[in-house]
């Protein structure tokens, strides 16, 4: 909501309404989001419904990866899997230059957080941006962002969208 509210307050949202299509599923690994999986199909279905009901997809906001820090194989495959996800979604949605704003992990469940962060930073696809959550305050569990940090991240995502997404309006 902080992202949508910041866009609306900016006056550059391109519309008096900003719709969000939530698809998040906590505790998932990137391998569970690849084309052909249930999560991918559901995300695609929700995105298509949004468009069919009058919406326009302006960007994909992606904050995922803590579960990929547990196993070396998941951590080292993160970049390849993320690249494929972006390419597949763009093709399946028919939006070849869809802006993707990926949030860099602030924490992880395992010892390979930096490996995943490096993969996130290393995505070399057009219109894929990186917004870093590292350093934002974490909740007591030291995995998820605090409410205040989530609001701050929403503003950071909105700024990235406004900086890079306006050419797609």
């Amino acid at each position: 909501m902080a992202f949508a509210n910041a866009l609306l307050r900016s006056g550059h949202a391109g519309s008096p309404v900003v719709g969000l299509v939530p698809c998040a599923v906590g505790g998932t690994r990137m391998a569970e989001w690849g084309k052909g999986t249930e999560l991918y199909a559901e995300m695609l279905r929700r995105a298509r419904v949004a468009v069919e009901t009058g919406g326009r997809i302006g960007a994909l906001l992606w904050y995922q990866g803590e579960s990929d820090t547990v196993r070396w194989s998941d951590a080292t495959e993160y970049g390849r899997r993320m690249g494929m996800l972006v390419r597949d979604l763009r093709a399946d949605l028919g939006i070849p230059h869809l802006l993707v704003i990926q949030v860099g992990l602030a924490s992880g469940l395992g010892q390979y957080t930096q490996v995943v962060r490096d993969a996130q930073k290393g995505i070399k696809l057009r219109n894929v941006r990186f917004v870093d959550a590292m350093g934002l305050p974490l909740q007591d569990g030291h995995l998820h962002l605090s409410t205040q940090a989530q609001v701050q991240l929403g503003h950071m995502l909105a700024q990235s969208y406004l900086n890079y997404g306006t050419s797609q309006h």
Side-chain angles (χ1 to χ4, degrees), residues 1 7 27 60 91 95 104-105 164:
M1 288 305 300
L7 280 185
L60 169 68
I95 310 173
L105 295 183
Y164 299 108

Side-chain angles (χ1 to χ4, degrees), residues 101-115:
I101 306 174
Q102 182 174 220
V103 177
L105 295 183
S107 62
L109 288 170
Q111 62 183 342
Y112 302 115
T113 301
Q114 193 57 49
V115 174

Side-chain angles (χ1 to χ4, degrees), residues 1-9 18 20 150-151 154-155:
M1 288 305 300
F3 168 79
N5 289 332
L7 280 185
L8 291 170
R9 278 194 304 275
V18 173
L20 301 175
Q150 290 178 33
V151 170
H155 291 219

Side-chain angles (χ1 to χ4, degrees), residues 54-151:
R56 181 190 63 81
I57 298 174
L60 169 68
L61 308 180
W62 189 261
Y63 190 4
Q64 184 277 338
E66 289 91 344
S67 294
D68 289 286
T69 68
V70 175
R71 295 199 311 241
W72 174 252
S73 58
D74 287 330
T76 57
E77 285 290 302
Y78 191 92
R80 184 189 65 77
R81 289 173 176 157
M82 182 65 189
M84 287 302 303
L85 178 75
V86 170
R87 286 187 287 273
D88 288 340
L89 267 178
R90 286 173 169 173
D92 289 340
L93 291 172
I95 310 173
H97 303 296
L98 175 67
L99 175 64
V100 176
I101 306 174
Q102 182 174 220
V103 177
L105 295 183
S107 62
L109 288 170
Q111 62 183 342
Y112 302 115
T113 301
Q114 193 57 49
V115 174
V116 173
R117 282 180 51 77
D118 290 345
Q120 291 174 323
K121 290 185 222 178
I123 301 291
K124 301 287 188 233
L125 294 173
R126 184 175 176 195
N127 287 344
V128 175
R129 304 292 175 233
F130 178 83
V131 171
D132 203 348
M134 184 62 81
L136 293 176
L138 300 174
Q139 285 180 342
D140 294 337
H142 304 292
L143 178 64
H144 296 108
L145 297 179
S146 69
T147 301
Q148 175 189 358
Q150 290 178 33
V151 170

